[in-house]
Structures are given as structure tokens and as C-alpha cells.
Amino acid sequence: MCGIVGYVGRKCAQPILLEGLKRLEYRGYDSSGLAVIHHGQLLVHKCPGRISVLCDHLADDAVTASCQIGIAHTRWATHGAPTEENAHPHSDCKNRIAIVHNGIIENYSALKQLLIEKGHHFSSQTDSEVLAHLIEEFYYNNGTKSIEQAVQLALREVTGTYGLAVLCVDEPGKIVAARKGSPLIVGVGADEYIVASDASAIVEHTTNVVYLNDGELAVLNSDGMRTLTLDNVPVTKQVQQIEWSLEQIALNGFEHFMLKEICEQGEAIRNCLRGRLDKRENRIQLGGIAAISRELVKTRRLILTGCGTAWHAGLIGEYLFEDLARIPTEVEYASEFRYRNPIIDDGTTVIAISQSGETADTLAALREARQKGALALGVVNAVGSTIARETDAGVYLHVGPEIGVASTKAFTAQVVVLALMSLYLGRRRFMSETMLQHYIDALERIPEQMERVIQQSAAVKMVADQYADCDNWLLLGRGYNYPVALEGALKLKEISYIHSEGLPAAEMKHGPIALIHPGMPVVFIASRCSTYDKILGNIQEVKARGGTVIAVATEGDTEIGKFAEHVFYVPDAPAPLQPLLNVVPLQLLAYHAAVARGCNVDKPRNLAKSVTVE
């Protein structure tokens, strides 16, 4: 959840470190800091609050600005409040070793007590500081030959997760980086290396990167890079290319990244579909799963797993796979699946859904499923991410970087990919060519239809402004649109801090109807489908109790306006594809409500973009 940047090379490190931290702001943080080495001294600067506070603190520090090696960090508080003492980097007793750390050290309490007994003195409440002292103990008191050896020995004692970067005054031109369960990549430049927890901190300087795997360690200096395991076995790494550019992580005239990414969805879905709809041969082409297609077609049971928005995409996927491919499908919260003893029979396929490909719970669920013999697939956006590397096969979203904490374009692309996969399997199992053609044609229309919905942003803003002060909302849908209601409610919670609940519309009368009071906003997804008349009945129940009805309806529906105070119209589409259009007004509603309430849309409180710790 935190950000790491490290630099070693011929340039001054400070501007690269600070700019890298700014690129990582979207991940969520509450303090920041950096450490550099200058003429045999370790200089550490850290501050609670925004990165701008750290920049102001360093504004007149010419010494720190001149150094050519350093590490930096943005912290999202877990152990200890966001204070200067608890901010990273942390150093050892001698102030000769500095570390920045993402993750959680589960056995830190026992390690800390052991180190205190050996004479170490701690200055923070964090679990991370243990690493600095543990490395110190091995480096200075156990006769190790190098800082990387001390890091290897220290990490063998650790239980937990880490993305780690280390400096040592006694080896002043070197950064040691290591990972387990928390992402870490190395940017490879000309006589320089940048280590970071996210490619957005690197892409301005190089698109050549090396992805570290769990249990691997990189030793970096301006002359080269070595990679090895914690057991000191050399590892040969392949340099890969980042697929997106610096321009894609710029606001480009938009007020917020979330609005930019909502408005990008038409083009994002075009990119997601590109090369995957073969109209000439009337087929779906998914190169990422071609090698295991025979095994996949024989799947008897699917388990979709994810967290948050990805879980909602999985719920839509459950409808898609059962409806279009006739495969029994379950959807599991990854955070629950990983701690159960799930039944994985022969013929079970698990699909892990994650924008970042690094979500800790989803990755753990994936590993649990693989260990029990499941075929493991991934639906991820980040190329080269851990989930992408650890699955048997998978499909990338190809929607470019998503910066806003509240996922929008990644969600719709996840639904598109799950629709493509269900059609791919459905055609191979029972679906007619004519039926597949119907869906291919409908998918081709989706990007343009989404752009038409986005053009209603001003109308959605008027409604959001009118009800932004209401602290309790209900969002209701049926069938494919029940998960859309859940996703719309989550967006409201995430960025506007409005208490909102998504429900199956039929469940309203089984308890939640007691919440409805005069003026309460109730959003209905009321598409023209097999349950349309039922939805109208639910609307009447809300109206009878004084609730305010906001409806998302199909273009040409003249009936819905008789019952709803406000209607957002979306183009018609087959029921399995309606969520792609119906979710867009809800995304805009949440966005405009958050702006009206004065919330920080792209950096909502207590949230981070990529949840890489439990």
C-alpha cells in the first residue's frame, strides 16, 4: 500500500526520488521521507503529511540535493500513528544503515525483544524498524562480508511480507532490494538503476524493467545489477518493457484522474477488445488462454476470486459463465477463500481478478487454489505483475494505467474480459455461431454506447449536487444488475463517504425497506429485461414510503419517467452486457457527489490503490 523509490547512478538522486514519490501518491500514504549518503554520512529526512511538506523541508538543502544515491518512501500507517518517528526511512543504532519497507513483519515483536536484549535501541512503533536493526546485527556483529549477505541473513529470520530497499554507509554506492509478497521492480537505465514499488515511478526515466520474484534480491550500483536468492543462488533476469507512457499517467486537462478514467472507458474498452473479435471467422480470439483451451473447455466448475471492485466484476462473471457457457460458477472473496479449506475437485478452474495483479489476498487465494490442484487463470491489468506470472494462463485488460483509487475503467474491462471468456467457452461447448455473432456485434457497439452515456455527465452532476448532503442511499438491481448496484454503492462509499448499500431489489422487502424515509435517495437499475416489471413494483414500494427514486433506464423507455424523479438513459444492449453501460452513470454520480462534498476524489481517506498487505 506504500510507495518505494530508490536511485543509484550518475545523476542527483533527490529530484528523481521526490518526483517518483509524487507519481506514487495515488497509492495512499500519510507520511514520506528519504535517505541519502554523503561523504560517509547517512542523511535522513522525513515528515508526516503530504510529499509537499517533505519538498518544502528539503528546499534549501544543497547537500542532500547533490547526492547520487538514495532511497525514499511514502508510508500508509499500520503499526504506529503517522508521525515523524514512525515515517520511513528507518535507520540502525549507528545511523549507518537505512531501510524503506512495504509489507508487514508478523514476528516483529519477538525479533524486537531479541534485539533489545542484544542492546539495540528503537525509536519508532513500527514493525519495519526491526529490519534495520536486524540487518545491523548481522552486518556489524556477525562478520558478514557484504551488506547483501546481511540482508539475506536478516530476511531468513523474518515472517511476513516485504518490499525492501537498503542503504549502507560502509558500501556507499550500493542499494540492496528484496521482495516477498510486496511488489518491487528495477528500472534499468544508462549507468543508473531505479528501484520502485510501481512502474509509474520509473517510466519517466526508462521503460526497461526487471520484475523481482518472491525470495529474490537485487544488488544495484551504477556499474551494474546482480540478482540472487536469499540462499545466494544467482538468478538470471529478463529485461522487459513497460507498455504504457508517461502521458498516460498525466491529468491531460481533467480535474481528477477518476473523471479522466471514467471518460477514457470507451477507448479503454476498444483497446481491450482489439484483436479479440474476429468477425471474418466469427470467433473470439484470446491468445493468453490458447495453450490451455482444451483443458479449460473441460472445466466442470469455476471459482472466481477477487476483492472489492474485482469481486463485483466476478459476480457479473458468475452470471456470464453460467448463462453463456453453462459452467457452474462460484464467486469468493479472496480474503475468505485463502483461510478456508476449499474443496477443489478435478476439473476446477480458479480465475483470480485483480487490476494491479499484486493484491495480497487474491494472490494468496490463487496460491491456495494451485496448491490444491486447480487450473489457475488471471484477469489482470498490470503486465508482468505477480498474479500474471504465477497463473497457468490469463487475459490482460490492456486499458493502460489506472491512477484513481476508485476503479472505473479496470472494472468495465474486467467485465468485458469475463464476457469474452464466457463466449469463448460457450461457443466450444454449446453456443451456436449465430448467437455468438449476436454478442460480437453487441460488444463492438459498447465503446461508442459508453461514450454516449458519459456525455450525460452534466445531467448526472445536477442530480448529485441535489442529493450530496444525504448520508444514506440504497442502490437496487436484479440479475446482472445486482452486482452493478453493489459497485455503485461501493463507489459512493469510497470517494464521497456516503453510507450506501447495494442490494438485490427483491431483498428490499426482507428488512432494508425499514430504512426508507421521505427524501431518501434510492437508485434503481431498471433496464428493459425479463425482470423489468418486478423492478417497477419495487419502485412503487419506495415511492409509497416517500423515497426519492433515481433510475438508470433503457433509451426509449417512456414508462419509467412516471415513477422516478430522475432518470439516466443508457443505450439498449443484450442483458449480459448491460452492466457495462449501467455502471457508468453510477460512477459519475459517485464522482460528482464526492466533488460536491469537498472530498479528495483521487486520494480518499484510509484507502490505497493496491492493497498489498492484509
Side-chain angles (χ1 to χ4, degrees), residues 485-508:
L486 290 175
E487 175 62 11
L490 179 61
K491 287 294 160 283
L492 274 169
K493 293 173 191 173
E494 285 180 312
I495 61 167
S496 70
Y497 317 140
I498 291 172
H499 176 254
S500 50
E501 297 297 331
L503 297 167
E507 288 298 305
M508 181 181 64

Side-chain angles (χ1 to χ4, degrees), residues 24-283:
L24 298 178
E25 281 192 287
Y26 74 95
R27 295 174 67 90
Y29 71 102
D30 43 43
S31 61
S32 62
L34 61 78
V36 296
I37 295 174
H38 178 74
H39 294 330
Q41 284 188 305
L42 184 66
L43 307 179
V44 178
H45 304 272
K46 49 189 183 177
C47 306
R50 312 312 293 179
I51 293 167
S52 59
V53 178
L54 179 64
C55 292
D56 291 343
H57 173 74
L58 291 167
D60 299 320
D61 190 336
V63 172
T64 301
S66 68
C67 299
Q68 295 178 315
I69 186 170
I71 55 176
H73 190 266
T74 50
R75 176 179 184 253
W76 192 84
T78 54
H79 297 70
T83 63
E84 181 177 340
E85 292 77 17
N86 290 332
H88 294 224
H90 291 293
S91 53
D92 66 324
C93 296
K94 297 179 173 64
N95 200 41
R96 300 187 72 79
I97 294 172
I99 67 102
V100 290
H101 167 238
N102 289 350
I104 291 180
I105 307 303
E106 295 174 8
N107 62 335
Y108 87 98
S109 183
L111 291 172
K112 184 174 183 177
Q113 184 58 41
L114 178 65
L115 290 163
I116 289 172
E117 291 172 2
K118 289 178 176 289
H120 290 262
H121 300 281
F122 287 76
S123 58
S124 79
Q125 300 167 287
T126 69
D127 57 327
S128 301
E129 189 185 356
V130 165
L131 293 170
H133 292 278
L134 195 58
I135 294 168
E136 175 195 10
E137 181 66 23
F138 282 108
Y139 191 66
Y140 291 110
N141 300 334
N142 285 274
T144 54
K145 297 177 181 178
S146 65
I147 187 63
E148 57 264 35
Q149 185 182 10
V151 172
Q152 288 170 321
L153 292 171
L155 293 180
R156 290 179 200 172
E157 303 298 320
V158 165
T159 301
T161 58
Y162 50 81
L164 180 68
V166 183
L167 289 181
C168 179
V169 167
D170 295 292
E171 299 182 50
K174 184 186 293 184
I175 293 176
V176 179
R179 75 154 282 177
K180 179 186 176 185
S182 189
L184 211 60
I185 61 178
V186 179
V188 181
D191 298 323
E192 63 181 3
Y193 294 90
I194 304 171
V195 60
S197 52
D198 189 297
S200 58
I202 291 174
V203 70
E204 182 177 1
H205 306 281
T206 180
T207 58
N208 298 317
V209 296
V210 168
Y211 294 93
L212 295 183
N213 292 324
D214 281 357
E216 290 182 348
L217 179 143
V219 183
L220 314 171
N221 58 51
S222 59
D223 297 323
M225 175 178 74
R226 292 185 294 119
T227 50
L228 52 154
T229 69
L230 293 186
D231 296 322
N232 209 39
V233 177
V235 178
T236 301
K237 302 296 291 185
Q238 181 181 1
V239 177
Q240 301 183 46
Q241 293 290 312
I242 299 173
E243 288 193 337
W244 41 271
S245 66
L246 185 63
E247 183 181 359
Q248 290 178 277
I249 57 173
L251 279 168
N252 294 335
F254 287 91
E255 187 176 355
H256 299 100
F257 281 108
M258 183 179 179
L259 181 59
K260 175 176 181 275
E261 288 155 6
I262 291 172
C263 294
E264 286 176 345
Q265 284 179 109
E267 188 60 29
I269 298 308
R270 286 189 188 93
N271 291 335
C272 184
L273 291 172
R274 187 167 286 118
R276 291 169 171 172
L277 302 179
D278 184 347
K279 294 200 72 174
R280 178 175 296 180
E281 298 294 331
N282 200 24
R283 63 179 180 175

Side-chain angles (χ1 to χ4, degrees), residues 460 463-464 467 472-478 481-482 484-489 492 498 500-505 508 516 519-526 535 538-539 542 547-553 560 564-568 582-587 589-590:
V460 177
V463 175
Y467 299 103
N472 293 285
W473 294 50
L474 285 180
L475 290 89
L476 306 172
R478 287 176 178 257
N481 289 312
Y482 157 51
V484 176
L486 290 175
E487 175 62 11
L492 274 169
I498 291 172
S500 50
E501 297 297 331
L503 297 167
M508 181 181 64
I516 296 173
M520 181 182 184
V522 182
V523 181
F524 282 91
I525 299 99
I535 284 284
N538 295 135
I539 290 175
V542 169
T548 297
V549 174
I550 302 168
V552 177
I560 195 75
E565 281 79 1
H566 309 280
V567 183
F568 306 128
N582 292 338
V583 76
V584 177
L586 306 186
Q587 295 171 343
L589 192 64

Side-chain angles (χ1 to χ4, degrees), residues 354-534:
S354 168
Q355 187 282 136
S356 68
E358 303 290 352
T359 311
D361 286 320
T362 307
L363 182 57
L366 173 71
R367 289 169 173 166
E368 175 71 12
R370 292 197 75 190
Q371 188 173 348
K372 292 181 178 294
L375 178 67
L377 305 184
V379 174
V380 302
N381 190 39
V383 175
S385 58
T386 305
I387 289 176
R389 296 198 305 273
E390 293 198 14
T391 46
D392 297 303
V395 182
Y396 283 120
L397 305 183
H398 293 312
V399 297
E402 186 178 68
I403 305 300
V405 168
S407 180
T408 52
K409 65 178 181 177
F411 169 75
T412 48
Q414 286 164 352
V415 174
V416 166
V417 166
L418 293 172
L420 290 170
M421 293 174 74
S422 62
L423 291 169
Y424 180 91
L425 292 175
R427 177 67 178 120
R428 284 157 177 75
R429 293 166 68 94
F430 79 96
M431 183 180 288
S432 70
E433 185 176 355
T434 302
M435 182 59 70
L436 179 60
Q437 184 63 58
H438 168 69
Y439 284 111
I440 287 177
D441 291 342
L443 277 168
E444 281 195 317
R445 292 192 295 269
I446 289 293
E448 183 272 332
Q449 291 176 321
M450 292 179 96
E451 288 165 349
R452 283 163 51 194
V453 179
I454 291 165
Q455 289 172 4
Q456 300 178 54
S457 180
V460 177
K461 180 181 185 301
M462 291 178 63
V463 175
D465 289 347
Q466 187 173 346
Y467 299 103
D469 290 336
C470 298
D471 290 327
N472 293 285
W473 294 50
L474 285 180
L475 290 89
L476 306 172
R478 287 176 178 257
Y480 280 99
N481 289 312
Y482 157 51
V484 176
L486 290 175
E487 175 62 11
L490 179 61
K491 287 294 160 283
L492 274 169
K493 293 173 191 173
E494 285 180 312
I495 61 167
S496 70
Y497 317 140
I498 291 172
H499 176 254
S500 50
E501 297 297 331
L503 297 167
E507 288 298 305
M508 181 181 64
K509 64 178 71 70
H510 295 286
I513 197 169
L515 295 171
I516 296 173
H517 55 80
M520 181 182 184
V522 182
V523 181
F524 282 91
I525 299 99
S527 300
R528 279 286 189 185
C529 59
S530 61
T531 58
Y532 177 75
D533 290 338
K534 302 291 185 183

